[in-house]
Amino acid sequence: MNTRPDSHEYLPLAEPYVSLVPEGSITEILQQQHDETLKSLSDLTEEQANYKYAEGKWSLKQVVGHIADVERLWNYRILYIARGDAREFSGYDREIFVRNSPSGSLPLREALKDYAAVRQSSITLVGSLTEEALLREGTFNNYPLSARAAAYVIAGHELHHLNILRDKYLT
């Protein structure tokens, strides 16, 4: 499917993510992001990967782990919606997830390996869905959520964090 989700397919808080995603096939966009992310982060040193730009901020490795964890959550939502088992989905506490994630203590190559595995799963899941399945909806925080919109949130969430990485970590 090559069309963007309509604003009624997702909660308003997701708009900043969805708006970052360029036009085109969402599966191709997810694949391009995968390739670009690995290319831009694979050659970093462990010192760079452990860098935090301010007190209380996450390290670059923790950001990579956060991207993977959030993508897992959105894939869960996509699967339920696409399979027709629409329900109310809840949010999560990102600080608890990061605090309890092993990504900050893993070697960077392992954190990127985990990210790559999650992204490949996203690509095959989204790529396998029919247009009908992509347009199915569940509910997230009292707003409609289509499987298509969830895929765009995955892509936009990564773009959001890659912009932060470029601005605050890789300068």
Side-chain angles (χ1 to χ4, degrees):
M1 173 168 274
N2 296 323
T3 57
R4 304 179 71 72
D6 295 323
S7 60
H8 66 80
E9 294 179 48
Y10 54 88
L11 67 162
L13 289 174
E15 178 58 33
Y17 297 137
V18 174
S19 68
L20 288 174
V21 181
E23 295 296 327
S25 163
I26 190 61
T27 53
E28 290 175 14
I29 291 165
L30 291 169
Q31 183 65 57
Q32 289 168 353
Q33 282 184 327
H34 166 271
D35 298 345
E36 291 170 13
T37 296
L38 292 179
K39 182 179 178 187
S40 57
L41 301 180
S42 292
D43 291 334
L44 298 178
T45 66
E46 285 301 313
E47 181 180 356
Q48 290 171 305
N50 288 317
Y51 173 74
K52 296 179 181 183
Y53 68 89
E55 183 68 33
K57 295 298 183 181
W58 301 337
S59 70
L60 186 142
K61 286 191 291 191
Q62 288 174 306
V63 172
V64 170
H66 167 72
I67 291 169
D69 278 353
V70 168
E71 192 158 332
R72 283 180 173 99
L73 290 171
W74 285 100
N75 278 331
Y76 167 82
R77 295 168 183 141
I78 290 171
L79 183 63
Y80 262 95
I81 293 167
R83 298 296 190 257
D85 189 8
R87 56 185 60 216
E88 173 71 31
F89 297 101
S90 62
Y92 75 107
D93 185 319
R94 66 180 179 223
E95 294 297 333
I96 292 172
F97 269 58
V98 171
R99 186 171 51 246
N100 291 300
S101 169
S103 61
S105 61
L106 294 173
L108 176 61
R109 72 179 183 284
E110 292 300 315
L112 290 173
K113 183 177 171 182
D114 182 55
Y115 156 81
V118 173
R119 178 48 60 95
Q120 286 303 314
S121 176
S122 300
I123 292 166
T124 57
L125 173 61
V126 174
S128 72
L129 299 178
T130 64
E131 186 167 337
E132 177 185 349
L134 284 164
L135 295 174
R136 286 189 186 117
E137 292 184 354
T139 306
F140 180 60
N141 286 349
N142 298 314
Y143 286 92
L145 175 66
S146 71
R148 170 175 66 172
Y152 272 76
V153 171
I154 287 171
H157 179 258
E158 180 170 344
L159 287 168
H160 164 78
H161 282 290
L162 289 178
N163 288 337
I164 293 170
L165 290 179
R166 284 186 200 100
D167 291 346
K168 302 212 180 253
Y169 293 79
L170 303 174
T171 54

